[in-house]
Amino acid sequence: MIARLSSPVPVPDAVALLAGRLLPARVRAAVADAAEAARLYAACRGPQYAEARQLLEARLRAASKVLAAHNPGLAVRWADIPTLITKEER
């Protein structure tokens, strides 16, 4: 019997690149767009950036829709992005 590891094993960069190359182009683009939108969302703080945050949330939803259509496990969850969780939700 093979026991599962209690902690996740890190994936080498070469393996991650190889796995990424096997994804369709639209899914790779959605992954990149979601990562960029999440990074930019974290930088948009304060009330003056409310409109920018709404646009970035729309980009995240669109990317998540593409990712979920390919594999539901790839969908972007709001809990994955700490800056999207407000104090009321914690």
Side-chain angles (χ1 to χ4, degrees), residues 5-42:
L5 297 175
S6 60
S7 63
V9 177
V11 178
D13 290 339
V15 174
L17 287 173
L18 179 62
R21 288 184 187 138
L22 298 176
L23 293 172
R26 63 182 171 81
V27 175
R28 281 190 307 235
V31 168
D33 194 35
E36 181 185 7
R39 182 183 59 79
L40 291 173
Y41 191 93

Side-chain angles (χ1 to χ4, degrees):
M1 182 172 144
I2 299 174
R4 290 188 169 203
L5 297 175
S6 60
S7 63
V9 177
V11 178
D13 290 339
V15 174
L17 287 173
L18 179 62
R21 288 184 187 138
L22 298 176
L23 293 172
R26 63 182 171 81
V27 175
R28 281 190 307 235
V31 168
D33 194 35
E36 181 185 7
R39 182 183 59 79
L40 291 173
Y41 191 93
C44 291
R45 297 178 186 219
Q48 68 271 25
Y49 296 113
E51 188 176 344
R53 282 193 305 268
Q54 289 175 352
L55 292 172
L56 291 170
E57 287 172 5
R59 282 178 60 186
L60 282 169
R61 281 191 289 273
S64 184
K65 186 176 178 180
V66 172
L67 294 171
H70 180 71
N71 180 355
L74 293 177
V76 177
R77 295 178 307 230
W78 298 118
D80 293 340
I81 306 167
T83 56
L84 292 176
I85 301 173
T86 61
K87 291 179 183 177
E88 294 83 27
E89 294 174 357
R90 288 184 183 176

